[in-house]
Amino acid sequence: MKKTFLVFSFMVIGIFLLGLIYSDPYGSRTVTSSDNSVNPVVQQNDEIVKFVDDMNGANDTTALRIRGWKPKRGPLSGPAGTSPNWFQGNSTVFNAFEGPATGYVAANFNGVTGTNTIDLWLISPNVNGAAGDTISFYSRSPDASTFPDSIRVYWASNGDTVPGSGSFVELGKFKVSTAGWVESRYILPTAGATGRFAINYRVAGGGPSGLNSDFIGVDLIRLLGPAAAPVVCSYTWANQVSGTTALLYSVKTVSNLVGWAAGAGAVVRRTTDGGVTWGNGNPNPGVITGDIYNIEALDANTAYVTTSPGATFIYKTTNGGTTWVQVYTIAGGFINTIKMVSATNGYAFGDVLAGNWLMLKTTDGGSTWTSLATIAGTGDGRNNCLQITGNNMWFGTGQNTVLRSTNLGVNWTVATVTGITGQITGIQFNSATVGIVGGATMSKSLDGGATWALLAASGTGTISGIEGSGNDFWYVRGTTIYRSTDLGASWTLSHTQTAAQNDISLVTDANTCMVGWTAGATGTITKMTGNPVGINDPVSQIPSAYSLMQNYPNPFNPTTNITFALPTAGNVELKIYDITGKEVASLVNTYVNAGTHSVTFDAASYASGIYIYKITAGTFVDSKKMVLIK
């Protein structure tokens, strides 16, 4: 009798504890801790975002329906359980991939009763999908969950909203990650101007009494079009008349038409016609004192300069330089550079003052400045050596180090630049990871500035300014300007000025090419202008190396363009093979001049599948894959 009572007691306690575990209808069956760190917003890698729902708002079924989603039960679903078919993310299970901690949509084992099949559909709003577009989303289950939750992905080009109907084509299925958030991507096989895709949580033997279901989260759901066709640009340089012979330390490009330059003796020059004429940007002298080592501008009217004749100052104009107003000063300081990231927010960095780097911020358009952070240091900074991209900040110093922050100045690390023994006089990051710094030599980082390696550079003297975008970098060194089209692997001479240049400033023009100015000694100013080159026309600038580029578009139906570059003329073969290695087409088999060329492949008579294109040009051989989807 006692034994029976003890067994019964343990059963009651077990059921009670199990009830505590499963009492939350929106919870997980896995008793474990998950990594609750929130990820940074995902970069788009130049893909066209045709639809996005970051799930950062309300995600109950009512809110989802308001946004056009169709949360439904599929034909295989068992009776409804204690949780809705989709619900707001639960931060006690794990945090969202990005955004607020509960900013994701979830479903769990309580979606049905007993051991029934879970068949929950999250059908998207209408989207304009093209064949080859990509469905992308992030999903996960709790860390170390032993339950095999799974997701299927569907596409209905006609915009059907009935789960399991014949209109929905299954694109794939997978077991949900139990080791953090993972991105899944599926390619649309057909176009649909009002199509819908569906994320289907389906588990046989699910429910609170089953062995196969637990908890899933879905976040940052997107439909991505292929990256825009790469624009090939041809660049020209032209010396301009600045109207001054003063030494110019800094230049700022606002647009193809608007530019500012500044230098010794409080000289400021401004153009609003692309450099055809440069006017006086400080026609009423007396307010600005000292040499101007850095200039920043938002437009043709609003600009900022800094001088340091004993104390350090920031001045601002809102009327094109007609009048300047002192907006900041501190005794003993030396501000090296100012960067505005918007019309209201900006930063100014300078030499160490009283044991700490001088780091300032403004949130009112530069009218007032306050301390950004207290970061101990020694030494000095360098003019024009601050870059801000997103949440990333880099600041070059005179002690061959780069200060780096990934959260807009809240926290900082310091990296010694291998390969440079003195001052950092130029800095440029073309992405959050790839950057180049210059001084007496040049170094490159591939990890956001954490580590550096010596990089070969052309010319002699100090590298005093670096700019870039994509795979392109430019730098000024003495009287010469160099360009790289391969992230610094090789350099070619772009232009030679009559006097040494101190700074370079480039922006992306409306035609997607770069444009801007350099400025330097004796008032010299040079403008670079970029113009797109037709895709089927040879590029006027001879490439420095052989290359075979990824076809565009890819996937494709039925035509795609294949681009290749030749540094020297010669015989070229460009052939197409199927996945078995059988040659199916010969696109080029002739003598081709040096340059960049593009060929169109028409696959109208070929079956869907993976194809390989291969180029042979002298000793250069390369091949790539492409996907034909009909």
Side-chain angles (χ1 to χ4, degrees), residues 200-248:
N200 174 212
Y201 177 33
R202 189 190 303 180
V203 181
S209 301
L211 300 177
N212 296 326
S213 62
D214 188 358
F215 183 104
I216 69 165
V218 178
D219 201 357
L220 192 59
I221 305 172
R222 298 172 292 164
L223 179 66
L224 305 173
V231 176
V232 179
C233 298
S234 174
Y235 291 99
T236 58
W237 292 84
N239 297 344
Q240 296 182 336
V241 178
S242 68
T244 182
T245 58
L247 173 62
L248 298 177

Side-chain angles (χ1 to χ4, degrees), residues 191-532:
T194 57
R196 294 179 188 266
F197 59 87
I199 298 171
N200 174 212
Y201 177 33
R202 189 190 303 180
V203 181
S209 301
L211 300 177
N212 296 326
S213 62
D214 188 358
F215 183 104
I216 69 165
V218 178
D219 201 357
L220 192 59
I221 305 172
R222 298 172 292 164
L223 179 66
L224 305 173
V231 176
V232 179
C233 298
S234 174
Y235 291 99
T236 58
W237 292 84
N239 297 344
Q240 296 182 336
V241 178
S242 68
T244 182
T245 58
L247 173 62
L248 298 177
Y249 289 111
S250 183
V251 64
K252 171 64 180 184
T253 300
V254 176
S255 68
N256 181 45
L257 296 177
V258 179
W260 296 73
V267 165
V268 179
R269 308 303 293 176
R270 181 184 73 125
T271 182
T272 58
D273 57 12
V276 176
T277 58
W278 285 84
N280 192 349
N282 185 22
N284 300 299
V287 176
I288 302 175
T289 59
D291 296 337
I292 299 173
Y293 292 107
N294 176 253
I295 187 166
E296 170 69 326
L298 294 175
D299 50 42
N301 295 313
T302 306
Y304 312 81
V305 298
T306 178
T307 67
S308 299
T312 192
F313 299 90
I314 297 176
Y315 301 92
K316 176 183 178 181
T317 181
T318 57
N319 54 14
T322 301
T323 57
W324 290 85
V325 177
Q326 178 189 310
V327 292
Y328 178 83
T329 185
I330 188 170
F334 193 109
I335 294 174
N336 303 114
T337 182
I338 304 168
K339 288 287 184 183
M340 298 297 295
V341 296
S342 70
T344 56
N345 297 335
Y347 302 86
F349 284 20
D351 294 354
V352 171
L353 181 64
N356 296 306
W357 288 102
L358 181 57
M359 296 182 174
L360 307 173
K361 66 178 179 180
T362 179
T363 57
D364 58 7
S367 295
T368 60
W369 296 82
T370 58
S371 176
L372 169 66
T374 302
I375 306 298
T378 58
D380 55 7
R382 293 290 93 188
N383 303 333
N384 308 309
C385 271
L386 170 64
Q387 184 180 351
I388 304 172
T389 302
N391 291 331
N392 296 291
M393 308 177 84
W394 299 272
F395 179 50
T397 78
Q399 296 74 49
N400 74 302
T401 59
V402 171
L403 279 68
R404 170 176 173 253
S405 173
T406 59
N407 52 15
L408 282 179
V410 177
N411 304 105
W412 290 87
T413 57
V414 180
T416 299
V417 178
T418 303
I420 296 181
T421 57
Q423 302 174 350
I424 304 293
T425 51
I427 188 167
Q428 172 64 32
F429 274 80
N430 283 6
S431 68
T433 55
V434 180
I436 292 177
V437 296
T441 53
M442 180 175 281
S443 291
K444 180 178 179 180
S445 175
L446 297 175
D447 55 12
T451 60
W452 297 85
L454 181 66
L455 182 67
S458 299
T460 58
T462 299
I463 296 168
S464 54
I466 308 174
E467 273 283 11
S469 177
N471 290 334
D472 289 334
F473 280 96
W474 288 264
Y475 67 81
V476 293
R477 192 173 202 178
T479 61
T480 55
I481 304 166
Y482 291 90
R483 179 192 180 196
S484 172
T485 60
D486 51 16
L487 294 175
S490 60
W491 298 91
T492 56
L493 179 65
S494 290
H495 185 70
T496 301
Q497 246 287 8
T498 57
Q501 300 298 282
N502 292 319
D503 193 20
I504 180 172
S505 175
L506 304 177
V507 297
T508 302
D509 196 11
N511 65 8
T512 71
C513 295
M514 301 293 285
V515 65
W517 285 274
T518 69
T522 64
T524 49
I525 287 182
T526 306
K527 185 179 184 183
M528 184 188 83
T529 303
N531 291 297

Side-chain angles (χ1 to χ4, degrees), residues 540-562:
S540 58
Q541 183 177 3
I542 302 301
S544 59
Y546 288 96
S547 66
L548 178 64
M549 303 174 194
Q550 187 65 51
N551 65 300
Y552 177 84
N554 186 43
F556 67 99
N557 180 28
T559 62
T560 188
N561 294 306
I562 300 172

